[in-house]
Amino acid sequence: MIKLDSRLKALLSEIVGPIVADVGCDHGKLSVEALIGDYAEKVIAVDISPLSLNKTIELANEKGVSQRIDCRVSNGFETITESLDTAVIAGLGGYEIKDILSKKVPDIKRLVICPHQNTAVARKAINEFGYGAVRDYVVKSGSKFYQIIVAEKGLMPYSQKELRFGKNLPKSKDFDDMIISRKKVLEDRFAGKEIPEGEMLNEYEELVAICSR
Ligand SMILES: C[S@@+](CC[C@H](N)C(=O)[O-])C[C@H]1O[C@@H](n2cnc3c(N)ncnc32)[C@H](O)[C@@H]1O
């Protein structure tokens, strides 16, 4: 078994096989543990960087799963033609995820997304791609909060209000903690002064509304 932090553990728990792609696999922990733990029969692990992909290849060799992993240098899904039961895109930004989903994409049953920034852009892109969220929740790992989105074809799109912070589905204490922590960051930054009109104020008003629910 590979030691995973709580973000990677949550991502692993969302994987449904048999055929899984890990886009932006990098260190390869998710791809390799999906095979060790039998979440997947076969993993197609891709990365745009040959150096990053090498880390996955080495880990797969070390853990004895290289027969079941297909490692490819690939920009997004460009080298993947197989139908996928689950495709994971984690640790990339919302704009990169949007770009990947707007290009050539194979048939995918279940999309698991964990953007490291610009999550609202990723949520919009998922909807534009024709998918809707079945789960959308927050996981705390160390001192950081991560938003995890699981989407399937043809489901309800996000409302405007859900784009920034998601659906809190299933409800979690980590979501509440993320909201409180982000609200405090904005309050500390403006230290009693009014927040100027614009994106920051919109975000702050959303945080206040969520806290008062
Ligand atoms: C921060 S790492 C994330 C690693 C892992 N997925 C995780 O969540 O821990 C991002 C990886 O995505 C790769 N990457 C960035 N853009 C990509 C793209 N368009 N297609 C495939 N891989 C990409 C980078 O080379 C890097 O290895």
Side-chain angles (χ1 to χ4, degrees):
M1 248 176 73
I2 297 171
K3 197 168 160 24
L4 301 180
D5 62 16
S6 41
R7 179 186 69 101
L8 287 172
K9 270 187 199 153
L11 288 170
L12 182 71
S13 75
E14 298 297 356
I15 290 177
V16 178
I19 309 296
V20 173
D22 182 7
V23 176
C25 54
D26 192 27
H27 44 71
K29 289 182 186 172
L30 189 67
S31 294
V32 172
E33 189 57 30
L35 291 167
I36 294 173
D38 280 332
Y39 292 83
E41 277 174 23
K42 174 184 173 180
V43 171
I44 303 165
V46 302
D47 204 290
I48 200 167
S49 149
L51 278 180
S52 295
L53 191 68
N54 246 343
K55 295 185 230 168
T56 299
I57 295 170
E58 281 175 11
L59 186 65
N61 285 338
E62 182 193 320
K63 299 292 178 187
V65 295
S66 51
Q67 297 294 319
R68 292 159 64 207
I69 192 165
D70 187 348
C71 296
R72 305 173 188 168
V73 173
S74 178
N75 182 353
F77 293 101
E78 73 177 0
T79 64
I80 303 181
T81 51
E82 295 90 336
S83 293
L84 302 170
D85 296 290
T86 301
V88 182
I89 314 176
L92 282 75
Y95 286 100
E96 291 158 302
I97 292 169
K98 179 184 161 96
D99 188 50
I100 287 172
L101 292 179
S102 67
K103 290 191 175 137
K104 178 184 156 300
V105 179
D107 185 50
I108 301 170
K109 277 202 194 123
R110 185 177 171 90
L111 253 184
V112 178
I113 305 271
C114 179
H116 66 68
Q117 59 185 4
N118 297 313
T119 310
V121 175
R123 287 196 175 96
K124 253 192 178 163
I126 289 166
N127 286 163
E128 282 161 10
F129 182 58
Y131 283 54
V134 269
R135 294 158 68 75
D136 182 324
Y137 58 97
V138 173
V139 169
K140 190 173 187 197
S141 188
S143 59
K144 287 193 177 163
F145 295 98
Y146 296 93
Q147 302 188 57
I148 294 184
I149 301 155
V150 183
E152 290 176 6
K153 220 177 272 181
L155 295 176
M156 280 280 289
Y158 289 100
S159 70
Q160 191 60 33
K161 277 186 185 165
E162 290 169 338
L163 282 175
R164 200 188 307 262
F165 297 113
K167 290 178 181 282
N168 189 18
L169 180 70
K171 288 195 185 336
S172 72
K173 183 178 176 305
D174 285 351
F175 176 89
D176 298 340
D177 290 348
M178 176 187 75
I179 296 295
I180 290 164
S181 152
R182 180 67 188 154
K183 184 165 167 282
K184 187 169 178 329
V185 166
L186 292 184
E187 284 165 350
D188 289 351
R189 184 178 302 174
F190 290 94
K193 285 185 250 139
E194 276 196 13
I195 301 178
E197 277 194 26
E199 258 316 286
M200 204 85 87
L201 182 60
N202 294 345
E203 182 182 356
Y204 185 69
E205 285 174 351
E206 278 180 35
L207 289 163
V208 172
I210 293 170
C211 286
S212 64
R213 287 209 290 252

